[in-house]
Amino acid sequence: MPGESLWADLEPLLERVNKPIQYVGGELNSTVKDWHVGGYGPTGEELTTRWALMYPDAYEVGVPNQGVMILYEVLNEREDALAERTYAVWPDMEAQLRSAGLPQFTVDGHRAVRDFDLFGLSFSTELGYTNMLNALDLAGMPLYAADRGLEDPIVIAGGHAAFNPEPIAAFIDAAIVGDGEQAVLTVTDIVGEWKAAGRPGGRREVLLRLARTGGVYVPAFYDVSYLPDGRIKRVAPSSHAAGVPWRVAKHTVMDLDAWPYPKQPLVPVAESVHERMSVEIFRGCTRGCRFCQAGMITRPVRERSITGIGEMVERGLAATGFEEVGLLSLSSADHSEIADLTKGLADRYEGTQTGLSLPSTRVDAFNIDLANELTRNGRRSGLTFAPEGGSERIRKVINKMVSEEDLISTVAAAYGAGWRQVKLYFMCGLPTETDEDVLQIAELAKKVIETGRQVSGRRDIRCTVSIGGFVPKPHTPFQWAAQLGAEETDARLAKLREALRSDRRYGSSIGFRYHDGQPGVVEGLLSRGDRRVGKVIEAVWRDGGRFDGWSEHFSYERWMRAAETALADEPVDVAWFTTREREQNEVLPWDHLDSGLDKDWLWEDWQDALDETEVDDCRWTPCFDCGVCPQMGTEIEIGPTGKTLLPLTVLGSGRQELLEHQH
């Protein structure tokens, strides 16, 4: 029977695999609802809409993901819907499932994914695509959307990678771009009404209803034609799909205080990559870093109020028992009330072992008062800053308006206040970059160490330099840029490593971490690819490709071999998708997906980058006409609110709530 638990068959397999705990479920605050929670209509029709939500990576990476956690809770609050979670199974578990003839399952009710109405996947990186194909195959579903029948779930992609879903267009039924909270409720309504009416018109009809909202992209209803040289000629709605829009708009949730999710954060039963309770303090960023897709596609800035954040922190701590609170956003120190917020929270939880943390902090937004509040109740760990570019020139190109003087004065303050460890994050392969720009990273790191020694009077000062390869992304000013090849990236990093090690005065004090250039090339192929890249993804998966975001599972040779074969009859290859610079008038694979950003504005910003011209943050300056606010009907929402946090704590009024929750 659909919806029945597979646990009796799964349990014997657990003793044969590593980390069996990740498949067990039962986390604090998880939900298992009755399969028929919505009941039946007067003529016996089903009134429950069921979602299987997947973060296509291992449990330890996927379970703390805020996006999936929020949608899981939003959907399960509805009386006529249920949502369960599934994650990518490790190769040992995959082998056991295939041997036993068991399908991809959810960790909540251990139900077969194929029994659900909708299969939603959240992609924060394109390197999860092979895991999606593996999950579809394990679930017993056809890989291709065109081959699925009425009994197969509707496969919907979301997350940042969904802003160019073309490489996986053949495998998904639909994609949602932008914020998911309201979008999944709209989809639930449409699918629920279609089911209650007896599923008229079959699968095609419900997909048409979704596409006609203007906020759900159904690739099957769009035709792509190509020019002889391989470029796209046109993407247009199919003639047989009346009412489907030419462009699909992103979703933007306004008034985040009205969406205080997750209210009951999940507490993993196994170790995960983030052992903390997280609260998103604002969404969006207008700093205008030209490499940053997340900042561009999540505009405009929408802050939660200081009181709204305080309530979420209080409720989350009471519901979870975590001892660390992560204040998340793309640039958390930019919250208009960050000083009052951190002081208020530190005051509130003084003496409770509750620590606060910010993700990577902008150099020009950091100050010692802020840092001291963050560490008042917790441990003093290292500080992370992201200058991104080694030289002043390259930072102007990428619009990362941080001077060397800013960085040195900031780390001097940190070392002087007692910190011993600073981590600096940079990128290699940025547009117009030269060897000299990258070698400046070494000089900067040496100055950081020297400054630390001087202000602290100590020799045990450490600095870790972490380098990531730059990958041009859709909907950014660098979407036209040529990507640096893998060999050139590796050669540049080798010179940097030598520069860091050659000076004995500093070499032992500077740690160096970097990714080689090969995974970046594959990510570049997938992030700016079009529908023709789907054949490459399938070939890699059939050749055993899984967990491509994990270095121990990633095979560059496999990807290049698959691409050579899959694209043999096409006028394009890997280099065409990655290291080729695009022209202004080229139709890009994602042009029909509307992020709100005006393409002409993005091009002008690309030209400004080439001219090394910086652009201010529109939060504090007049509008630069990027297009988002008028086009999306949105606006920047920031404080200050002038409100203060109440001294409410889980040791006081929250204690009873915590005790009730535990019993």
Side-chain angles (χ1 to χ4, degrees):
M1 288 288 291
E4 283 195 357
S5 172
L6 303 171
W7 180 248
D9 295 318
L10 286 168
E11 190 177 19
L13 307 183
L14 298 182
E15 62 187 26
R16 305 174 199 166
V17 300
N18 285 319
K19 296 186 181 177
I21 189 73
Q22 66 189 309
Y23 307 116
V24 171
E27 300 92 342
L28 182 63
N29 301 323
S30 61
T31 304
V32 182
K33 299 174 81 169
D34 183 81
W35 190 247
H36 299 288
V37 67
Y40 298 92
T43 56
E45 63 274 9
E46 281 197 316
L47 300 180
T48 305
T49 304
R50 307 178 183 96
W51 286 79
L53 299 174
M54 182 179 198
Y55 189 86
D57 207 327
Y59 175 93
E60 63 200 80
V61 178
V63 73
N65 179 262
Q66 286 289 104
V68 171
M69 210 184 293
I70 288 168
L71 300 184
Y72 176 74
E73 197 170 299
V74 166
L75 288 164
N76 277 323
E77 280 190 355
R78 283 185 59 141
E79 293 182 357
D80 62 345
L82 66 85
E84 298 192 8
R85 297 162 295 125
T86 186
Y87 303 100
V89 297
W90 282 112
D92 59 352
M93 187 57 156
E94 179 190 343
Q96 293 294 330
L97 291 175
R98 292 190 187 280
S99 176
L102 291 172
Q104 180 82 23
F105 59 91
T106 61
V107 296
D108 295 296
H110 299 101
R111 291 159 167 160
V113 164
R114 197 181 178 199
D115 289 349
F116 290 76
D117 301 308
L118 296 129
F119 183 25
L121 299 106
S122 179
F123 291 101
S124 56
T125 169
E126 297 84 0
L127 293 172
Y129 290 161
T130 49
N131 282 353
M132 174 187 72
L133 294 192
N134 205 44
L136 289 171
D137 187 63
L138 271 174
M141 295 167 59
L143 282 192
Y144 287 90
D147 297 333
R148 291 182 197 132
L150 199 56
E151 297 309 309
D152 291 304
I154 296 163
V155 180
I156 303 186
H160 288 181
F163 276 81
N164 176 26
E166 293 302 277
I168 54 171
F171 312 120
I172 61 172
D173 294 293
I176 291 173
V177 292
D179 298 335
E181 291 95 331
Q182 292 165 317
V184 294
L185 296 180
T186 300
V187 171
T188 300
D189 287 338
I190 291 170
V191 173
E193 289 165 9
W194 171 74
K195 282 181 67 179
R199 309 187 185 205
R203 193 179 187 87
R204 173 182 163 77
E205 172 62 25
V206 72
L207 290 172
L208 265 175
R209 292 185 189 184
L210 291 169
R212 285 169 178 159
T213 64
V216 179
Y217 173 54
V218 179
F221 296 148
Y222 292 79
D223 296 327
V224 182
S225 55
Y226 300 93
L227 296 166
D229 65 1
R231 289 176 300 152
I232 294 173
K233 180 179 181 181
R234 193 172 84 143
V235 180
S238 304
S239 57
H240 63 274
V244 172
W246 278 82
R247 300 191 80 200
V248 179
K250 79 167 180 181
H251 297 262
T252 306
V253 168
M254 304 302 291
D255 186 14
L256 290 186
D257 280 346
W259 297 86
Y261 297 92
K263 299 172 183 175
Q264 303 277 318
L266 292 165
V267 182
V269 291
E271 188 177 352
S272 68
V273 292
H274 296 303
E275 297 288 329
R276 65 186 180 209
M277 192 274 291
S278 298
V279 173
E280 185 184 28
I281 63 173
F282 71 84
R283 195 170 290 181
C285 181
T286 45
R287 285 282 191 168
C289 300
R290 294 176 174 126
F291 58 84
C292 182
Q293 184 190 43
M296 291 289 171
I297 63 178
T298 58
R299 293 182 175 207
V301 171
R302 291 145 286 149
E303 286 187 357
R304 285 193 206 277
S305 69
I306 184 171
T307 48
I309 294 166
E311 289 166 11
M312 287 185 70
V313 170
E314 173 65 15
R315 186 170 52 230
L317 287 174
T320 63
F322 278 123
E323 292 187 339
E324 182 182 345
V325 178
L327 302 176
L328 302 188
S329 78
L330 292 173
S331 185
S332 293
D334 283 339
H335 192 285
S336 62
E337 296 181 289
I338 191 66
D340 291 339
L341 175 63
T342 51
K343 183 180 186 308
L345 290 172
D347 286 346
R348 178 187 282 185
Y349 300 109
E350 188 144 28
T352 67
Q353 299 300 306
T354 302
L356 305 174
S357 67
L358 295 186
S360 174
T361 312
R362 280 187 65 98
V363 171
D364 51 353
F366 174 88
N367 61 65
I368 293 301
D369 289 340
L370 173 61
N372 285 335
E373 298 297 357
L374 291 171
T375 57
R376 199 198 311 172
N377 300 325
R379 64 188 183 280
R380 179 169 291 198
S381 55
L383 293 169
T384 301
F385 300 108
E388 310 288 1
S391 70
E392 200 101 6
R393 187 195 75 79
I394 204 73
R395 288 194 293 273
K396 288 181 178 177
V397 170
I398 64 178
N399 205 44
K400 189 84 177 186
M401 292 184 281
V402 174
S403 68
E404 183 176 304
E405 188 180 329
D406 289 336
L407 179 62
I408 297 302
S409 63
T410 296
V411 298
Y415 286 131
W419 270 268
R420 296 283 165 265
Q421 170 82 22
V422 167
K423 182 177 178 181
L424 302 176
Y425 181 80
F426 298 92
M427 282 190 289
C428 178
L430 291 160
T432 79
E433 180 186 274
T434 63
D435 287 356
E436 184 54 37
D437 291 313
V438 172
L439 291 175
Q440 282 294 311
I441 295 172
E443 296 307 308
L444 207 52
K446 292 172 188 176
K447 287 179 184 175
V448 164
I449 294 294
E450 185 57 41
T451 300
R453 288 173 178 173
Q454 287 177 5
V455 299
S456 68
R458 300 174 62 116
R459 302 292 294 178
D460 62 344
I461 295 299
R462 291 277 303 163
C463 170
T464 299
V465 171
S466 184
I467 313 277
F470 167 68
V471 178
K473 294 284 184 174
H475 306 281
T476 70
F478 289 164
Q479 63 184 0
W480 290 276
Q483 185 175 351
L484 192 66
E487 290 181 4
E488 296 91 333
T489 299
D490 291 346
R492 205 164 273 176
L493 290 172
K495 291 177 182 176
L496 174 58
R497 184 175 61 241
E498 179 58 31
L500 287 167
R501 289 179 175 172
S502 61
D503 194 328
R504 293 187 177 180
R505 293 172 300 166
Y506 305 109
S508 62
S509 298
I510 300 172
F512 185 46
R513 295 179 187 166
Y514 65 94
H515 299 285
D516 63 52
Q518 293 181 344
V521 169
V522 173
E523 189 182 338
L525 170 69
L526 300 177
S527 66
R528 289 196 293 175
D530 54 38
R531 295 187 180 187
R532 293 169 289 191
V533 174
K535 294 183 291 184
V536 182
I537 299 168
E538 182 182 353
V540 168
W541 170 72
R542 291 193 183 282
D543 194 30
R546 313 279 191 277
F547 291 97
D548 288 295
W550 297 66
S551 56
E552 60 265 41
H553 294 279
F554 174 80
S555 168
Y556 183 70
E557 291 71 25
R558 180 192 284 136
W559 277 95
M560 294 305 105
R561 190 169 62 242
E564 189 172 351
T565 304
L567 299 175
D569 297 328
E570 303 283 358
V572 296
D573 57 13
V574 172
W576 192 89
F577 285 111
T578 56
T579 57
R580 176 182 68 94
E581 185 171 327
R582 280 68 166 163
E583 296 178 358
Q584 181 179 8
N585 61 358
E586 181 168 339
V587 176
L588 302 173
W590 51 88
D591 279 349
H592 55 297
L593 297 171
D594 187 5
S595 64
L597 295 160
D598 185 77
K599 194 177 179 182
D600 289 338
W601 178 83
L602 287 170
W603 177 263
E604 288 165 12
D605 207 40
W606 170 225
Q607 301 311 300
D608 282 343
L610 298 175
D611 293 337
E612 299 169 20
T613 301
E614 296 170 308
V615 177
D616 287 327
D617 185 339
C618 68
R619 251 173 299 193
W620 326 115
T621 59
C623 175
F624 290 107
D625 292 326
C626 75
V628 168
C629 291
Q631 201 156 305
M632 298 283 122
T634 58
E635 60 183 354
I636 291 173
E637 292 183 343
I638 58 173
T641 62
K643 296 178 181 177
T644 56
L645 286 178
L646 296 172
L648 177 78
T649 78
V650 286
L651 293 187
S653 59
R655 179 183 289 276
Q656 188 60 37
E657 184 180 344
L658 186 59
L659 288 172
E660 289 171 3
H661 196 85
Q662 289 172 338
H663 297 294

